[in-house]
Amino acid sequence: MSDINNISSLSNPYKVINEFYEKSRDNLTNGVIVQHFRELLADNDVYSSIPLIESITDCDLHQGKLVRLRCMIQDVFEPQLYNVEYKIKNNQTNEIRYELAKYKDYTNIRENEEFILDYFNSNHQQQQCMDRNVLYCIPIPCQNKWVSKRNDSTTNSNNQVNKKKRPIEDDQQEDDDINNNNNNNNSEIIDNNNNNKKIKQNEKELKKNNNNFGKEIDFEKLYNYPVPANKEDKRVPFIVKVYDDYEIPQPGSDIPISVLKVSELVEFVGIVPQFVPDDHSSNAEKERNMMNMLGLLSFDSDQQTFPESLVPLFHCITFKLLNPYENGNHEFPFNSTTSTTTTPATQTEQQQKLDSIKSIRQELVDYILNYINDPLFAEYFIFYIISKVYSYNSGICLGNFSLNIDINCKDKEKQKQFKDIPKIIERILENVVCRSYRFEANIDNLNDFNIIPTKNYDENRIVSGLLQLAKNTHLIIDETTISEGKLESQALKGLAAIRNVSMLQKIEYDFIYHPIEFQTDIQIIDVSVGKPLVDCFSKVKINPTATTNINGTTTIDMDQNQSLFTRLQKYVNILQNTVFQPSDSQVTDHIQNDFVSSRQKDPNLSQEIFHYWLTLSRLMSLSFGENKISIARWESMKALENSRTSLL
Amino acid sequence: MDRLQLFSTLRSRKEKEEREEGDSDNESNNNNNNNRIDKSQATKKKEKKGKEKEKEKEKETPKERQKDVNESFGDDDNENGPIDKDLMTAAVSEIREEKKVVEQFWGTNILVEDVKKRFIHFIENFQTTSDKRRPLINDDNGNDNMDQEEDGDQQQQQQKKRNLYMEHLQVIFNQRKSYLNVNLRHVFDFDRALYHQWIRYPTEMIPLLDYEINIYFEKLYPPESELDIRPIIEIRPFNLKTITPMRNLNPSDIDQIISIRGLIIRCSSVIPDLKMAFFQCAICEFSVEVEIKKGKITEPSQCDNCKARLSMALIHNRCAFSDKQYIKLQETPDAIPEGETPHTVALFAYDNLIDFAKPGDRVEITGVFKASPMRAGRTTRTLRSIYKTYIDTLHIKRTEKGRLGASDSSAEQEQQYEQQATEEGEVGEEEQDILEISKEHERELIELSKRPDIYDLITKSLAPSIWEMDDVKKGILCQLFGGANKKFSESSGGGRFRGDINILMCGDPGTSKSQLLSFVHKIAPRGIYTSGKGSSAVGLTAYVTRDPDTRETVLESGALVLSDMGICCIDEFDKMSDETRSILHEVMEQQTVSVAKAGIICTLNARTSILASANPKESRYNPKMSVVENIKLPPTLLSRFDLIYLILDKANERTDRLLAKHLVSLYWEKPDVPFATLPKHTLTNYISYARKHVNPEISDDSVSRLVNGYLRMRNLGGGGKRTISATPRQLESLIRISEAHARIRFSKVVEPLDVEEAIRLVNVALQQAAIDPTTGTIDMDLITTGKSASHRDAVKRMESLISEVISSSDTGISFENIMNELNKKQQIQQQQSDVVREALRQMEVDVEFSNGLYKFKS
């Protein structure tokens, strides 16, 4: 019984929701529906069989079915009030029926029926009107190819299979007739048929729409991505409507905190509703309605309207936040929606994990040296890769390790060769970390590129900027392409904002009347010739004798490469999610003594350097698979620092 | 909208009366199938009653209201049980007594007659004390006995009773105003049930009460002649008991009066709002007037006269329009939870509320929250289930003028301003809201102030992430609390003395000065943060621009004027250009900014405290130079700072060790917080409360201490160029700081201990104990914290030895002789001479040094 129920929950969630609704109207608000779906998702097999959608085609394929969506919240729109149900009257029989309107945008009625708009009914007025949150979600920006590939292989495969299996049958039933589904398999087939049919329809519609829009729509402006999307990228943004229980009460204040914030990575589970193309034939009627609207003139002028054919709608039933440090390895069961971290590993488990990756460090060093033959750089680069902000303690962010690479050198030839370094770094990162992006900080880009996310009150949305990235995105600032020229004030503000992220991991969104500060964690690596435009936590000068090669000195065959990459990815993933332990008192005393004596030797030593040492030694220990700082590591950190500073 | 309907009806009442009666009766019958019975009842009543029944019709047409009434009806029994029970019994008894047909709000047991009666009763009988805000702590016992205080209050009321709203009506009559502001807190105090009815059933109450007040007004001041056309009076309720956070607006608030705070981000131009449409048949010229229903005009589909379909056309210039404005309100930055984006809400303002506030203003809106369905899918087969929500504005209050933390003088001025505003016919409010903080909160704060460790607790809670620097924090606290502004009466020469405390922090880089600044600017009322490098003189004061639209010259305020009554934090003070800095002279003492530009000559208030931070002249403090040389700011400016902190980052073992420990603990995950701190908002409330309600006075005992302290400081200075000498300004600062210190304890009196602490703070700030008065340099070894324990012990031991030596000589003894004596007693090496010097300095209380000889004071 439950199996059948499960299948229909997956293939036709509307039917299941409707069943709940028919049992009791209270079920809409008491969380029973969400509970049902969560229980369903707790089964890992079921969970991973739910298709992930990311493009228009996916939407069309899976209309009305339970689907998953992984995305980043770009903007939070105003909450909407909506009707939970509609009262519909049959004009012939004068019968009155109610239809569920939650998780839907449109409600259809049959022939001879009409909506009763003053749906007033004293028995359940409480449920008439509810509010839902509307989020504008974009595909996770700067995601590297290997992450999405992995997703493809794990989830969408079974859909492919299903698709082949499905025979094409005649369509004898109308799509809206939900109640006739006695045989679930059958209904699935029908759904599929209908879908196929609809896809064709939609494609036509899309063409029509495009024609209507004239030539080209400014996709970039419409989609509003922080960084321009690849032309081949089929992924689209979604408008996600989130219903209840997304807020947690906040102690000491009557305003609950919403867990769904801008720049969070979320996986939504829900339904893509049937696509209803805008009816262009009803222009005449529109004009008649103008009269009705006169009273509300210019009222919704600033409301965002998106063509649904380009930005699909998504109704969320439940969701979970994604841990930004978990690199694409998402095969965790859908356990709890609110926990951002994975289940805390026990000490021994963690130790085992750390032991398993110790040997990979050398492979990573070799891999880097393969491209840039500078061991000192390789060390700091590893620290950079595995760094993350692990704590915001009393206003200071701890763990940030932004890195400046100085490629200045006297040898002209070398200088030219070194200019490739940003691209090499990009290449290395592409295969190791889950999100990375190279930003060419030349005059034009700085002047014209949106760097700071800004609120546009005319369109009532946040115009995204380079710095609206998810946490744990590695951002390469490439200053090697800069030439002489004039920087506009916008560029200076942008640079200041990047600097702020680099040093404090804070970004202020420009809300025109006042800025609003957000905490972030974008790992910044800045490659500069000489003094950088963006201050960084640490600075490494490339050894002038080092050699670089954009293609790597030794070529390894693809298969080997692939398994190497997998190992490196695992290395970064585990280290970023390791909980660091405090050292014992002996080490702590040693560190403190060291600081005191260094200060005595050189009174100009500021407390910042101590912050720096602590961060560095932590990263160094981590990179060796240790979750504690030992005296030996502290000393080797100091030695490494000496060799670094001697080069500067 | 409802209100406008009412007016149009009132205006055309006489002519229309008969015809309309018939019309609307038909309409109401056709309209609601569900409500047919009630409607017909209503119709019957209408026939019996005179003017009121027309009123009723107005009330009942829009259907949203009916929905609301019923919605609220459902809630009633649960939420406002006691009130409604009272009401019910009242209603029942009334019915029994009078035994006649009683009108009720549809779907409720609220009696229309009863409401009217109680409302008029309120208007006639509400009394208030003149206008003084209630001092909450008016004597020493005030803290302990709240009840007693309230008794006192009542006595006060007895003395100065006046019928506030009757006075208002008088003003309305004299000035031909068209609105009456009603403070809902007054209503709440006077008649709780009325208050609840008012905010829960505004769709019924507003038209009803508007109507009532007009009738009442007419009775009170009968029109002298037929030609005497008066503006129709609207009631503008404001000052609700609770302010709804914008985030918490939800469907249950629909069709209720709510109060909401926010920042206006855009205002539309004035929109003509169609109130009555005039249609004419293109064929037979038969015309129809259609009134607005549920915010919509329904176009007649066929001509009633000639039965031609789709022949009716709208004739624009015969339609009736009213003014309306679309306003967008956004949450204020402080109301947004961390990491979230602000919410916005749409407002509609009508008639003379239009353009009352401009984008950028912080306002408190009182209005009715409404929702109207929106249909995007226009085919009849599909319906889009979305509502648009907005607030129909009833009252706008600009809160910018009276933000938290305004001190008394401002309050007075504010009142003046408000009075002026009312006289000028603006929408100002006649009564100040007395308390921003609720009673429980108040008790909590008073409770808190009684803690013996309150001073330390608050110090620790200020920027808890910044390690140590307790004295600097204490200074900043005094600044936040502020001294009392003093005004002298005209007879004694007039003038005022500032109560604001200015602080300069001068110190080595990397001593978290900027962090302190940013913390202060966030919690301070009207904190403004600027960087000296990026500010120009006009940016700080005010500049004159030409408005692009009107071509008028407009004065725009700069940072200092904007932070009037607040704190202006200026970072990188030393990097400011001299010109810019020079304008601070006026601001820091006179607390005004004078502008004489482009035909505008004026003086603006800039009653700000300034918190500045600077680096020493050579970026790092150079111990070889004097303090003044290091700070390198003109003495005229320096003397205007009450506290000048030298924050030195000096390598010394003890502090370094503590620092290292602190930092290390930060780096291990989940460090434990070593001390309990107050949450930020409690701290802010505490400060605002103190600023508002506590005004300490100086006791006689404290006066003498102050004088002594000042004299001591004055003597120390020596008047040279190389030290910061004490001027009469220092005496003022001492007074201010001691007042601020007393405020921290919520004390009415400045006690000697406050003075002592103030003197200590001033001394510590400049590390004066360590300054060599002859050279003006800081004796780096002397900075009190910079001693190892062993060193301090050595000094202690030395002290006892020295006192033996000195006491052996009656006439006094020179330094060399002391050394020799000591050498004799114990084999001290020459290197230890500085220990001896220090010991001597520590003994300066008892030992006097004159003519190169040390001897005990007599």
PDB file of all heavy atoms in Angstrom, chain B residues 240-261:
ATOM      1  N   LEU B 240      -0.529  53.649  18.084  1.00  0.00           N
ATOM      2  CA  LEU B 240      -1.075  52.385  18.569  1.00  0.00           C
ATOM      3  C   LEU B 240      -0.239  51.835  19.724  1.00  0.00           C
ATOM      4  O   LEU B 240       0.911  52.210  19.892  1.00  0.00           O
ATOM      5  CB  LEU B 240      -1.047  51.358  17.430  1.00  0.00           C
ATOM      6  CG  LEU B 240      -2.386  50.920  16.889  1.00  0.00           C
ATOM      7  CD1 LEU B 240      -3.021  52.093  16.184  1.00  0.00           C
ATOM      8  CD2 LEU B 240      -2.204  49.784  15.902  1.00  0.00           C
ATOM      9  N   LYS B 241      -0.833  50.933  20.456  1.00  0.00           N
ATOM     10  CA  LYS B 241      -0.091  50.327  21.560  1.00  0.00           C
ATOM     11  C   LYS B 241       1.078  49.496  21.038  1.00  0.00           C
ATOM     12  O   LYS B 241       2.132  49.434  21.634  1.00  0.00           O
ATOM     13  CB  LYS B 241      -1.018  49.406  22.381  1.00  0.00           C
ATOM     14  CG  LYS B 241      -2.007  50.134  23.235  1.00  0.00           C
ATOM     15  CD  LYS B 241      -1.345  50.865  24.379  1.00  0.00           C
ATOM     16  CE  LYS B 241      -0.957  49.899  25.488  1.00  0.00           C
ATOM     17  NZ  LYS B 241      -0.338  50.638  26.587  1.00  0.00           N
ATOM     18  N   THR B 242       0.841  48.846  19.943  1.00  0.00           N
ATOM     19  CA  THR B 242       1.912  47.986  19.427  1.00  0.00           C
ATOM     20  C   THR B 242       2.261  48.401  18.009  1.00  0.00           C
ATOM     21  O   THR B 242       1.398  48.801  17.239  1.00  0.00           O
ATOM     22  CB  THR B 242       1.473  46.514  19.373  1.00  0.00           C
ATOM     23  OG1 THR B 242       0.199  46.480  18.738  1.00  0.00           O
ATOM     24  CG2 THR B 242       1.385  45.909  20.740  1.00  0.00           C
ATOM     25  N   ILE B 243       3.518  48.270  17.697  1.00  0.00           N
ATOM     26  CA  ILE B 243       3.943  48.540  16.332  1.00  0.00           C
ATOM     27  C   ILE B 243       4.289  47.208  15.692  1.00  0.00           C
ATOM     28  O   ILE B 243       5.069  46.426  16.233  1.00  0.00           O
ATOM     29  CB  ILE B 243       5.134  49.498  16.328  1.00  0.00           C
ATOM     30  CG1 ILE B 243       4.604  50.896  16.639  1.00  0.00           C
ATOM     31  CG2 ILE B 243       5.835  49.492  14.990  1.00  0.00           C
ATOM     32  CD1 ILE B 243       5.648  51.924  16.794  1.00  0.00           C
ATOM     33  N   THR B 244       3.661  46.924  14.592  1.00  0.00           N
ATOM     34  CA  THR B 244       3.884  45.643  13.935  1.00  0.00           C
ATOM     35  C   THR B 244       5.178  45.717  13.135  1.00  0.00           C
ATOM     36  O   THR B 244       5.336  46.626  12.333  1.00  0.00           O
ATOM     37  CB  THR B 244       2.736  45.337  12.961  1.00  0.00           C
ATOM     38  OG1 THR B 244       1.525  45.720  13.577  1.00  0.00           O
ATOM     39  CG2 THR B 244       2.706  43.889  12.586  1.00  0.00           C
ATOM     40  N   PRO B 245       6.105  44.782  13.354  1.00  0.00           N
ATOM     41  CA  PRO B 245       7.271  44.757  12.477  1.00  0.00           C
ATOM     42  C   PRO B 245       6.827  44.376  11.064  1.00  0.00           C
ATOM     43  O   PRO B 245       5.936  43.538  10.907  1.00  0.00           O
ATOM     44  CB  PRO B 245       8.154  43.672  13.084  1.00  0.00           C
ATOM     45  CG  PRO B 245       7.582  43.356  14.412  1.00  0.00           C
ATOM     46  CD  PRO B 245       6.148  43.728  14.365  1.00  0.00           C
ATOM     47  N   MET B 246       7.418  45.001  10.085  1.00  0.00           N
ATOM     48  CA  MET B 246       6.975  44.778   8.710  1.00  0.00           C
ATOM     49  C   MET B 246       7.034  43.308   8.310  1.00  0.00           C
ATOM     50  O   MET B 246       6.217  42.806   7.578  1.00  0.00           O
ATOM     51  CB  MET B 246       7.840  45.599   7.775  1.00  0.00           C
ATOM     52  CG  MET B 246       7.155  45.958   6.490  1.00  0.00           C
ATOM     53  SD  MET B 246       8.227  46.908   5.448  1.00  0.00           S
ATOM     54  CE  MET B 246       8.175  48.483   6.238  1.00  0.00           C
ATOM     55  N   ARG B 247       8.029  42.631   8.840  1.00  0.00           N
ATOM     56  CA  ARG B 247       8.197  41.222   8.546  1.00  0.00           C
ATOM     57  C   ARG B 247       7.035  40.371   9.057  1.00  0.00           C
ATOM     58  O   ARG B 247       6.810  39.284   8.581  1.00  0.00           O
ATOM     59  CB  ARG B 247       9.442  40.737   9.279  1.00  0.00           C
ATOM     60  CG  ARG B 247      10.525  40.257   8.427  1.00  0.00           C
ATOM     61  CD  ARG B 247      11.844  40.439   9.086  1.00  0.00           C
ATOM     62  NE  ARG B 247      12.636  41.267   8.206  1.00  0.00           N
ATOM     63  CZ  ARG B 247      13.287  40.786   7.160  1.00  0.00           C
ATOM     64  NH1 ARG B 247      13.300  39.522   6.912  1.00  0.00           N
ATOM     65  NH2 ARG B 247      13.956  41.578   6.373  1.00  0.00           N
ATOM     66  N   ASN B 248       6.384  40.867  10.089  1.00  0.00           N
ATOM     67  CA  ASN B 248       5.353  40.047  10.710  1.00  0.00           C
ATOM     68  C   ASN B 248       3.967  40.303  10.152  1.00  0.00           C
ATOM     69  O   ASN B 248       2.998  39.713  10.621  1.00  0.00           O
ATOM     70  CB  ASN B 248       5.331  40.282  12.215  1.00  0.00           C
ATOM     71  CG  ASN B 248       6.512  39.636  12.885  1.00  0.00           C
ATOM     72  OD1 ASN B 248       7.365  39.080  12.196  1.00  0.00           O
ATOM     73  ND2 ASN B 248       6.570  39.709  14.178  1.00  0.00           N
ATOM     74  N   LEU B 249       3.848  41.187   9.202  1.00  0.00           N
ATOM     75  CA  LEU B 249       2.545  41.413   8.597  1.00  0.00           C
ATOM     76  C   LEU B 249       2.088  40.109   7.967  1.00  0.00           C
ATOM     77  O   LEU B 249       2.812  39.499   7.203  1.00  0.00           O
ATOM     78  CB  LEU B 249       2.651  42.463   7.487  1.00  0.00           C
ATOM     79  CG  LEU B 249       2.633  43.916   7.932  1.00  0.00           C
ATOM     80  CD1 LEU B 249       2.684  44.798   6.704  1.00  0.00           C
ATOM     81  CD2 LEU B 249       1.406  44.215   8.741  1.00  0.00           C
ATOM     82  N   ASN B 250       0.918  39.668   8.294  1.00  0.00           N
ATOM     83  CA  ASN B 250       0.436  38.444   7.684  1.00  0.00           C
ATOM     84  C   ASN B 250      -1.068  38.539   7.491  1.00  0.00           C
ATOM     85  O   ASN B 250      -1.691  39.529   7.890  1.00  0.00           O
ATOM     86  CB  ASN B 250       0.853  37.222   8.501  1.00  0.00           C
ATOM     87  CG  ASN B 250       0.294  37.253   9.885  1.00  0.00           C
ATOM     88  OD1 ASN B 250      -0.862  37.620  10.075  1.00  0.00           O
ATOM     89  ND2 ASN B 250       1.098  36.904  10.854  1.00  0.00           N
ATOM     90  N   PRO B 251      -1.640  37.540   6.866  1.00  0.00           N
ATOM     91  CA  PRO B 251      -3.054  37.653   6.519  1.00  0.00           C
ATOM     92  C   PRO B 251      -3.962  38.002   7.696  1.00  0.00           C
ATOM     93  O   PRO B 251      -5.011  38.607   7.492  1.00  0.00           O
ATOM     94  CB  PRO B 251      -3.384  36.271   5.975  1.00  0.00           C
ATOM     95  CG  PRO B 251      -2.113  35.786   5.429  1.00  0.00           C
ATOM     96  CD  PRO B 251      -1.043  36.347   6.308  1.00  0.00           C
ATOM     97  N   SER B 252      -3.574  37.661   8.911  1.00  0.00           N
ATOM     98  CA  SER B 252      -4.476  37.960  10.025  1.00  0.00           C
ATOM     99  C   SER B 252      -4.562  39.452  10.294  1.00  0.00           C
ATOM    100  O   SER B 252      -5.447  39.902  11.012  1.00  0.00           O
ATOM    101  CB  SER B 252      -4.015  37.216  11.277  1.00  0.00           C
ATOM    102  OG  SER B 252      -2.793  37.752  11.718  1.00  0.00           O
ATOM    103  N   ASP B 253      -3.643  40.232   9.747  1.00  0.00           N
ATOM    104  CA  ASP B 253      -3.696  41.672   9.950  1.00  0.00           C
ATOM    105  C   ASP B 253      -4.585  42.376   8.942  1.00  0.00           C
ATOM    106  O   ASP B 253      -4.761  43.587   9.015  1.00  0.00           O
ATOM    107  CB  ASP B 253      -2.290  42.279   9.833  1.00  0.00           C
ATOM    108  CG  ASP B 253      -1.390  41.834  10.961  1.00  0.00           C
ATOM    109  OD1 ASP B 253      -1.880  41.807  12.090  1.00  0.00           O
ATOM    110  OD2 ASP B 253      -0.224  41.509  10.710  1.00  0.00           O
ATOM    111  N   ILE B 254      -5.092  41.634   8.003  1.00  0.00           N
ATOM    112  CA  ILE B 254      -5.854  42.284   6.942  1.00  0.00           C
ATOM    113  C   ILE B 254      -7.102  42.949   7.507  1.00  0.00           C
ATOM    114  O   ILE B 254      -7.782  42.393   8.359  1.00  0.00           O
ATOM    115  CB  ILE B 254      -6.215  41.264   5.839  1.00  0.00           C
ATOM    116  CG1 ILE B 254      -4.946  40.928   5.076  1.00  0.00           C
ATOM    117  CG2 ILE B 254      -7.267  41.817   4.896  1.00  0.00           C
ATOM    118  CD1 ILE B 254      -5.125  39.883   4.047  1.00  0.00           C
ATOM    119  N   ASP B 255      -7.335  44.167   7.047  1.00  0.00           N
ATOM    120  CA  ASP B 255      -8.465  44.960   7.483  1.00  0.00           C
ATOM    121  C   ASP B 255      -8.438  45.287   8.961  1.00  0.00           C
ATOM    122  O   ASP B 255      -9.464  45.293   9.629  1.00  0.00           O
ATOM    123  CB  ASP B 255      -9.794  44.281   7.120  1.00  0.00           C
ATOM    124  CG  ASP B 255     -10.086  44.428   5.642  1.00  0.00           C
ATOM    125  OD1 ASP B 255      -9.709  45.462   5.089  1.00  0.00           O
ATOM    126  OD2 ASP B 255     -10.658  43.501   5.048  1.00  0.00           O
ATOM    127  N   GLN B 256      -7.257  45.518   9.461  1.00  0.00           N
ATOM    128  CA  GLN B 256      -7.127  46.001  10.824  1.00  0.00           C
ATOM    129  C   GLN B 256      -6.255  47.253  10.778  1.00  0.00           C
ATOM    130  O   GLN B 256      -5.481  47.430   9.850  1.00  0.00           O
ATOM    131  CB  GLN B 256      -6.395  44.975  11.677  1.00  0.00           C
ATOM    132  CG  GLN B 256      -6.899  43.592  11.529  1.00  0.00           C
ATOM    133  CD  GLN B 256      -7.319  43.002  12.839  1.00  0.00           C
ATOM    134  OE1 GLN B 256      -6.681  43.221  13.844  1.00  0.00           O
ATOM    135  NE2 GLN B 256      -8.406  42.284  12.822  1.00  0.00           N
ATOM    136  N   ILE B 257      -6.402  48.053  11.825  1.00  0.00           N
ATOM    137  CA  ILE B 257      -5.499  49.196  11.888  1.00  0.00           C
ATOM    138  C   ILE B 257      -4.160  48.707  12.426  1.00  0.00           C
ATOM    139  O   ILE B 257      -4.095  48.005  13.427  1.00  0.00           O
ATOM    140  CB  ILE B 257      -6.059  50.296  12.803  1.00  0.00           C
ATOM    141  CG1 ILE B 257      -7.338  50.863  12.201  1.00  0.00           C
ATOM    142  CG2 ILE B 257      -5.035  51.408  12.992  1.00  0.00           C
ATOM    143  CD1 ILE B 257      -7.888  52.048  12.942  1.00  0.00           C
ATOM    144  N   ILE B 258      -3.122  49.066  11.723  1.00  0.00           N
ATOM    145  CA  ILE B 258      -1.800  48.675  12.188  1.00  0.00           C
ATOM    146  C   ILE B 258      -0.894  49.892  12.176  1.00  0.00           C
ATOM    147  O   ILE B 258      -1.146  50.869  11.476  1.00  0.00           O
ATOM    148  CB  ILE B 258      -1.167  47.581  11.300  1.00  0.00           C
ATOM    149  CG1 ILE B 258      -1.227  48.006   9.838  1.00  0.00           C
ATOM    150  CG2 ILE B 258      -1.838  46.251  11.504  1.00  0.00           C
ATOM    151  CD1 ILE B 258      -0.287  47.241   8.972  1.00  0.00           C
ATOM    152  N   SER B 259       0.144  49.795  12.963  1.00  0.00           N
ATOM    153  CA  SER B 259       1.181  50.822  12.954  1.00  0.00           C
ATOM    154  C   SER B 259       2.447  50.156  12.475  1.00  0.00           C
ATOM    155  O   SER B 259       2.748  49.037  12.863  1.00  0.00           O
ATOM    156  CB  SER B 259       1.406  51.349  14.366  1.00  0.00           C
ATOM    157  OG  SER B 259       0.867  52.613  14.488  1.00  0.00           O
ATOM    158  N   ILE B 260       3.186  50.858  11.664  1.00  0.00           N
ATOM    159  CA  ILE B 260       4.346  50.230  11.066  1.00  0.00           C
ATOM    160  C   ILE B 260       5.414  51.297  10.892  1.00  0.00           C
ATOM    161  O   ILE B 260       5.108  52.449  10.639  1.00  0.00           O
ATOM    162  CB  ILE B 260       3.925  49.578   9.741  1.00  0.00           C
ATOM    163  CG1 ILE B 260       4.909  48.541   9.306  1.00  0.00           C
ATOM    164  CG2 ILE B 260       3.688  50.575   8.644  1.00  0.00           C
ATOM    165  CD1 ILE B 260       4.299  47.588   8.316  1.00  0.00           C
ATOM    166  N   ARG B 261       6.662  50.907  11.087  1.00  0.00           N
ATOM    167  CA  ARG B 261       7.750  51.868  10.918  1.00  0.00           C
ATOM    168  C   ARG B 261       8.555  51.521   9.697  1.00  0.00           C
ATOM    169  O   ARG B 261       8.708  50.365   9.368  1.00  0.00           O
ATOM    170  CB  ARG B 261       8.683  51.810  12.128  1.00  0.00           C
ATOM    171  CG  ARG B 261       8.169  52.558  13.289  1.00  0.00           C
ATOM    172  CD  ARG B 261       9.307  53.085  14.130  1.00  0.00           C
ATOM    173  NE  ARG B 261       8.711  53.691  15.288  1.00  0.00           N
ATOM    174  CZ  ARG B 261       8.871  53.220  16.521  1.00  0.00           C
ATOM    175  NH1 ARG B 261       9.640  52.199  16.724  1.00  0.00           N
ATOM    176  NH2 ARG B 261       8.279  53.800  17.527  1.00  0.00           N
TER     177      ARG B 261
END
